[in-house]
Structures are given as structure tokens and as C-alpha cells.
Amino acid sequence: MNNTVENRGSTPIIPEGLIRALRSARHVCVLTGAGISAESGVPTFREAQSGLWEKYNPLDLATPEAFLQDPALIWRWYRWRRELVAAAMPNPGHIALAKLTSLVPRLTLVTQNVDGLHQRAGSEDVIEFHGNLFADRCFTEGCVVDCDSDAEVPVCPTCGCNVRPGVVWFGEAIPEMALNQSFAAAADCDVFLSIGTSSLVFPAAGLAEIASETDATVAEINPNTTGMAAGFDYAIAGNSGTVLPELVACIES
Ligand code: BV8
């Protein structure tokens, strides 16, 4: 049964049942997507891109095939995103999640985002399910390298192959440790919060399904209720930068 909570007023309404579940939770698992960074000015993955990139679909660019076909174009895209993110600041949603960590016995934060904003907001041990925008990796060896990131297409100092951004592209496997830790946390948690994600990208979106199959309380926070939320206990329609600080305040009070 799903309780969709419309939050169009100034103060979001956090369902009493969710507050109770969070107050008594032993382990909270949180999955975030691009939506939690939207209020920091970082475009979500499915929003139309701006400027030079408006004619490109990120789903077409974030692939190994696109990189092999035109590494210079892909590097230009990632440098544009690095500059966007470097100029962005964590928003109240990121900050509230960092605070939530100190209010519950155990919190596992899994993010699909590659922007590092959770860490800049003070969250530690963040599981970066899709890697990190600012890491450079050898395309052939896969290892993190220290290279001249300003070159049009940086090369690996060890083997001379092209270097790529340290993110997980479509068609690539999720890093094994991130996958195992995230699946284990989703299966073990008492509360699962799905925040700012369209729940369209797998296997990340499968984490909420794993939690739903246990007796965990599952809630979504998103201004646009997703199709997956029909199976959740709560769907809170609102921006995470407004809802999360209110949720934390309710738990603290
Ligand atoms: C893999 C890094 C296999 C790159 C990204 C079933 C099972 C397994 C795989 C698949 C499957 N079905 C299909 C697949 C293949 C594919 C996939 O899921 N495709 C989709 C398009 C159907 N999955 C994969 O390829 C994955 N790999 O499965 O490998 C394998 C196994 C072994 C060996 C080899 C291979 C890898 C997927 C990783 C792709 N990389 N990012 C980069 O960033 O450049 S994913 C990319 O999408 C971003 O990380 C983004 O975070 C992610 C998901 O999108 P969202 O975060 O949800 O963002 P989106 O824009 O969609 O939505 C934003 C939401 O926020 C919206 O709902 C909006 O309403 C909301 N919002 C807006 N404002 C706010 C807000 N919410 C709250 N507050 C606000 N203010």
C-alpha cells in the first residue's frame, strides 16, 4: 500500500509512520540519484543539457563505445561537467543526509551520482555506485592514474593508452565492492530511502526492490512520483532540499 504525500506547501509533511520507523531503525539505507544535486545547479541525467551539449543525449555519451569512437568529444563533455560540479555547492538535502548519519545507529549511503557532493557535505563512507567524475582511469588497465588531465585526451603514464573518467558507463559492470555492499545494505536495512532518482537505471534501481521484499519501510522523495513508488510504503512528493531538512528536524524533535 502506498501513501503518496503531496508537499506543495512551505513546510513538507513527513508521514508519522516514516518518522516512527526512522526513530526505531537499527540500519537505514539511502539511495540517491541526480535529483538530490539538482538544487545545487547540477543538471539531472534526463534533463535537457544546455549549451554545446543540448543536442546530445547523456545516455549516448556515457558509453565505452562513444569514448572509443571519439575520446576527445567525450573528454570535452566530462570537462564541462567537472567545471559545473566544481562550481556547485552541496545543498540542504546533502547536508541533512550528512546530519542523519549521526541520528541513527547505522546509515549506508549509496549514490548513483558521480559529483562528490555528498562527501563535500560531510558524508563519509559514501558508496559511489557509478564511480566518480574526478577520478582518472587507464582505459585498458582500469587502474586510477595520475595524468595530465588538461591534455585533449590524457594518456596513461604506464602503458600510454587513453585515460578515461573514473565513472561507470552504460554496459559496464558496477564495481564489485560497491555492488556487494549496496545489495547487502538494502537487504539488511529497516528503512530504505530512495531520493532524487527516476529509478530507471539498473542495477541501482533494484536496491529499492530488494528492500521492498523484506519488512523494511521504503519511502521515495521526489517531486515526480516514479513508477517504482507504487510498491513503496511512502512517496513524498517534494524537493529533497526541502523535505530532507524537515525529515531530520522531525526525528530530532
Ligand atoms: C550494468 C555514470 C551489466 C556515468 C551512470 C537490468 C539489470 C542490469 C542492467 C540493466 C538492466 N536493464 C538495463 C540495463 C542496462 C543499463 C540500464 O540500466 N539502462 C537504463 C537506461 C535502462 N545499466 C547498465 O548498463 C549498468 N551496468 O548493468 O552492467 C554488466 C554486468 C557484468 C559485466 C558487464 C556488464 C551501468 C549503469 C551505470 C550508468 N552510468 N552514471 C556518468 O554520469 O557520466 S548512470 C546515470 O543515470 C547517472 O549516474 C544518474 O544518477 C543515473 C540514474 O539516473 P537518476 O540519478 O535517476 O537521474 P535522472 O535524471 O534519471 O532522474 C532524476 C530524478 O530526480 C527525477 O526522477 C526527478 O524527478 C528527480 N528530481 C529532480 N529534482 C529533484 C528531484 N528529486 C528530489 N529533489 C529534487 N529537487
Side-chain angles (χ1 to χ4, degrees), residues 14-215:
I14 311 299
E16 270 302 318
L18 178 58
I19 296 168
R20 280 197 302 275
L22 284 164
R23 280 180 176 152
S24 62
R26 174 189 45 88
H27 182 189
V28 175
C29 185
V30 179
L31 172 70
T32 62
I36 197 166
S37 296
E39 291 161 271
S40 295
V42 179
T44 67
F45 217 70
R46 279 164 186 76
E47 262 174 341
Q49 298 194 102
S50 59
L52 285 175
W53 304 103
E54 62 185 344
K55 60 180 183 292
Y56 291 96
N57 179 343
L59 296 175
D60 298 332
L61 295 177
T63 68
E65 294 78 17
F67 182 78
L68 287 169
Q69 185 177 351
D70 190 344
L73 171 74
I74 301 308
W75 264 108
R76 285 197 295 278
W77 183 49
Y78 278 95
R79 283 199 185 95
W80 173 69
R81 290 174 65 192
R82 285 181 173 180
E83 285 168 20
L84 261 181
V85 167
M89 292 300 289
N91 65 60
H94 295 109
I95 295 163
L97 273 188
K99 187 166 188 179
L100 183 60
T101 308
S102 63
L103 300 175
V104 296
R106 182 183 171 201
L107 185 142
T108 301
L109 175 53
V110 183
T111 188
Q112 298 173 90
N113 300 340
V114 296
D115 58 31
L117 287 175
H118 283 302
Q119 293 92 321
R120 286 171 56 192
S123 288
E124 297 176 351
D125 306 323
V126 179
I127 299 177
E128 295 184 309
F129 208 71
H130 294 154
N132 188 291
L133 189 60
F134 296 97
D136 293 329
R137 288 187 178 280
C138 174
F139 187 84
T140 305
E141 300 164 321
C143 52
V144 175
V145 295
D146 184 13
C147 63
D148 170 14
S149 282
D150 294 331
E152 187 182 32
V153 179
V155 294
C156 173
T158 311
C159 69
C161 292
N162 285 345
V163 165
R164 53 168 289 174
V167 299
V168 179
W169 280 326
F170 288 99
E172 293 186 321
I174 304 303
E176 190 174 358
M177 186 181 288
L179 190 72
N180 295 339
Q181 288 176 336
S182 304
F183 274 45
D188 177 69
C189 68
D190 307 301
V191 177
F192 188 94
L193 301 178
S194 179
I195 304 169
T197 179
S198 58
S199 298
L200 295 173
V201 173
F202 286 83
L207 295 173
E209 293 174 326
I210 291 170
S212 294
E213 285 159 12
T214 70
D215 57 2

